[in-house]
């Protein structure tokens, strides 16, 4: 073994629970109140398990087979399932749960108090406000914001709800308390100020329904529909991930 | 005392003036040309007092009781009042002044040559261009940009002016030289291309006046107005902070 | 010499090729597979030459006279010409080439597989999707995104093309496969969903042609046109940089 698992420059506090084969990069900081699953990589310059008075005192739990890229900050008091993947400089705050194989791209900021399902994908620089609820297989693209305060600043927090398989494209804002239905698509640069129906594409400022997502064709010459996207995009998912989506899609519009 | 104030892995240059009870986190860098007030916490992986040819040679001055979170970079040549709070990965550049208890959220970037009042709040990922002037009790929400170049790229810099108590909501852009009046509200995802009158809500691309802010009701069932926001939101402010706002608000529209 | 070129806290792997007078900041990590040109500064907390299975195995090559600011991450498998300048916390990924004097501002994220010309300027927090092609003297302002997936998520990647001297202003999104013509200007907060003609200003959601760029006047009292911008803005460029632009500009509209 030429490279030690814990880089000699890393700072790991006594009490941190690191599973087998967990590696810790140069200049990383691992606090005591963490439980990191086996076969996980912690990148350089990370801070893992940052204490916070808002955490409720619980540990940071990261499932096995995870990758935390450099300069990321994960607070104590949150739990992530197996194969969590982060980009660089990600912030994941307190009292958040995510299922298996969540991916939080570079610069993404999860503000805390969020519930996130399995196989979530936040591409890059996504901001998820407190009290958001996100389903399974949801995709959110760069520079999107899920808000929560209907008349900022105030003490009222109305988190957004993003249902299973929904897609939010680049530079879109979801206003407080709005629900984006399952298999819906929010087009790029959209302000979503009311609920989005399932299997519907919306776009504009403010968002308007454009068409059924089923009418959008793949631009690959095959004439196949682009949505529901699991029909053609299965990269990185388990074989049985989409076993039940097919039955509830409406006929093509 | 179990934890030393200056983490053994931190790099503090000789000459740095650190007040009583200043703590410095792991792998932080503190340059010589700084004056950090007492009871301040500097987080991990920060770089504090970064030298710059644009600084004019002055020190970085941070008031007492401040918190600088991890991975932030503060240049020399700027002065912040007491209880400065930053999120993670904040950049605060040269020749900027801010009053007491300014808060710059995670990923916020203050480009320099800015004047900022007391109790400023930049939520997260806010970009403030050079030569901006920001009043007291201003709130700017995530992914907003204050621009300054009317025909980029050019040598002309016309900073924005954001007056006292004004609010700029998520993903909005203020065009160069524009003034947002006191107690005005810029709605989410708005392009502001002309001055905004005080006590007015604007929204859209480009922004249009929507209504008097006084007509927006709190969504808490009380039937109270949401603006001016100091009527119901006082968290973290001193008791006398809003002593004078009430007299100059217009009657409800 | 009072300051060593390689800070004693930096971690430089054996095999890294550093030219004469290359400095490495505190807590920086330099991997083995790099060739850094002479007179280059690597800032604090950087990670330089990060290995990646997507890199094809090539080194990270950085030309002489470059400045990489703190907390930046540069992957192996990319090549940058002389005088590369980055802001803080920049991410430059695999299989990208850029010409001389490219500047990537703070928080900018180049996703990889990009071709970039000479004298490129990404101001701050610019996101460039995979397979983008960017010409010479292009300017992209804060919070702009160049996308690539026409129906996300999918395996189809249609990179944008930004031609020589084009300008993309703050908070704009370029949709997949769109071409922005030479000397065109995209106004702030614009969604560009079709090709932009050369020497044309577009704005809005979606973008519409507004006027010939030549009709936009400099706001400096001189009555001179603001575009093509090289007529008045030459900071930091070599004297012969614009020798050939003048001949092909259309008459003022």
């Amino acid at each position: 073994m030429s490279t030690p698992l814990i880089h000699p420059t890393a700072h790991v506090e006594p009490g941190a629970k690191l599973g087998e084969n967990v590696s810790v990069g140069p200049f990383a900081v691992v606090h005591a109140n963490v439980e990191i699953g086996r076969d996980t990589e912690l990148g350089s310059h990370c801070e893992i398990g940052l204490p916070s008075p808002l955490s409720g005192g619980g540990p940071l739990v990261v499932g096995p087979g995870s990758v935390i890229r450099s300069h990321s900050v994960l607070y104590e008091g949150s739990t992530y399932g197996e194969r969590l993947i982060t980009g660089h400089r990600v912030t994941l705050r307190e009292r958040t749960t995510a299922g298996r194989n969540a991916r939080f791209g570079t610069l993404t900021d999860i503000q805390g108090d969020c519930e996130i399902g399995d196989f979530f994908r936040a591409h890059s620089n996504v901001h998820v406000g407190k009290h958001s609820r996100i389903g399974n297989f949801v995709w959110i693209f760069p520079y999107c914001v899920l808000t929560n305060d209907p008349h900022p600043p105030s003490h009222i927090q109305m988190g957004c709800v993003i249902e299973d398989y929904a897609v939010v494209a680049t530079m879109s804002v979801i206003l407080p308390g709005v629900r984006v239905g399952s298999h819906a698509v929010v087009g790029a640069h959209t302000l979503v100020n009311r609920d989005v129906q399932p299997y519907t594409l919306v776009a504009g400022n403010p968002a308007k329904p454009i068409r059924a997502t089923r009418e959008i064709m793949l631009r690959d010459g095959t004439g196949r529909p682009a949505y529901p996207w699991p029909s053609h995009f299965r990269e990185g998912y388990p074989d049985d991930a989409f076993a039940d989506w097919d039955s509830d899609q409406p006929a093509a519009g």
Side-chain angles (χ1 to χ4, degrees), chain A:
Chain A
M1 192 175 68
S2 61
T3 310
L5 282 171
I6 306 216
H7 196 276
T9 62
H11 176 73
V12 180
E13 295 190 358
K17 297 191 179 81
L18 305 186
E20 270 186 85
N21 200 33
V22 168
S23 63
V24 182
F27 310 118
V29 175
V30 181
H31 292 273
N33 194 18
V34 304
E35 301 172 15
I36 308 295
R38 59 174 297 160
D39 303 317
T40 289
E41 302 172 30
L42 305 178
S44 75
H45 307 96
C46 282
E47 186 163 11
I48 305 296
L50 186 64
S52 162
L54 302 178
S55 71
L60 168 71
V61 179
V62 172
S66 296
V67 177
I68 309 299
R69 292 205 170 83
S70 77
H71 306 89
S72 290
V73 176
L74 277 67
Y75 281 62
E76 66 174 13
S78 287
T79 297
Y80 302 91
E82 63 180 33
R83 285 178 298 128
L84 168 68
I85 311 281
T86 85
H88 304 283
R89 311 179 197 88
V90 163
T91 306
L92 304 180
R93 298 202 51 163
E94 312 91 341
R95 293 190 309 258
T96 289
T97 59
R100 54 182 171 150
N101 198 217
R103 297 190 189 175
F104 299 96
T106 290
L107 294 171
T108 288
D109 184 351
I110 308 296
Q111 292 268 298
D113 291 298
C114 293
E115 295 174 34
I116 300 172
D118 292 335
F119 300 103
F120 174 57
R121 301 284 183 267
H123 188 285
S124 298
N125 216 336
V126 168
H127 181 98
V128 176
K130 283 187 180 186
H131 303 292
S132 299
R133 285 184 293 145
I134 296 176
N136 301 311
F137 300 102
V138 166
W139 278 83
I140 304 186
F141 284 87
Y143 293 64
C144 287
V145 178
L146 273 55
T147 66
N148 60 21
D149 186 342
H151 29 46
S154 81
H155 296 291
I156 315 252
Q157 292 190 322
M158 305 166 62
C160 300
V161 177
I162 314 292
E163 296 186 343
D164 296 354
Y165 302 100
V167 173
V168 181
T170 299
M171 199 83 77
S172 293
V173 173
I174 314 296
L175 288 188
V178 165
R179 176 180 295 260
V180 177
S182 63
H183 287 290
V185 177
V186 174
H189 223 291
T190 293
L191 174 66
V192 183
N193 64 351
R194 61 184 66 184
D195 288 358
V196 177
Q197 297 306 306
Y199 291 92
T200 303
L201 169 69
V202 301
N205 181 346
K208 290 190 171 52
I210 303 295
R211 63 175 60 88
T213 55
R214 190 71 193 205
E215 298 176 58
I216 302 168
M217 293 296 125
L218 266 183
R219 293 170 68 171
D220 66 352
T222 63
R224 292 182 298 165
Y227 299 96
W229 57 264
S231 65
H232 59 86
F233 188 84
R234 292 176 168 252
E235 186 177 285
Y237 301 108
D239 286 346
D240 64 348
F242 303 115
D244 61 354
W245 72 268
D246 218 334
S247 56
D248 57 1
Q249 61 173 298

